[in-house]
Amino acid sequence: MNQRMVRELQNQMMKIQEQLEHETVEVTAGGGAITAVMNGHMKLLSIKIDPEVVDPEDVETLEDLVVAAVNEAI
């Protein structure tokens, strides 16, 4: 591979990385109870939780829903 090709590939990679920052994915879990938004760099941008799923007696289910939403976004 010559220097010119390496530079072209590096430039293409930089452009793709810049584009990924502006790409987002929004997913839901628990039938829409949890919504997670993540960008192309796998940075979690936001989490929305339906107040109806917040049960102080069952925090474990809420934790599971958050994990499921984040994993789906990834």
Side-chain angles (χ1 to χ4, degrees):
M1 206 179 258
N2 64 35
Q3 291 289 335
R4 185 174 150 253
M5 289 177 68
V6 170
R7 276 192 300 259
E8 285 179 23
L9 286 174
Q10 287 174 331
N11 287 338
Q12 287 175 355
M13 282 180 34
M14 287 176 58
K15 287 178 185 178
I16 290 170
Q17 288 176 340
E18 288 174 12
Q19 290 172 343
L20 283 174
E21 188 163 337
H22 301 289
E23 294 291 323
T24 60
V25 62
E26 180 176 314
V27 298
T28 61
I34 306 286
T35 302
V37 178
M38 187 170 282
N39 72 11
H41 289 291
M42 294 177 33
K43 179 180 177 184
L44 185 61
L45 302 176
S46 69
I47 285 270
K48 304 263 192 249
I49 301 173
D50 184 338
E52 290 183 18
V53 298
V54 180
D55 179 358
E57 300 295 318
D58 189 14
V59 174
E60 188 174 319
T61 297
L62 178 58
E63 292 169 341
D64 290 344
L65 289 172
V66 170
V67 169
V70 171
N71 284 332
E72 182 68 25
I74 291 170

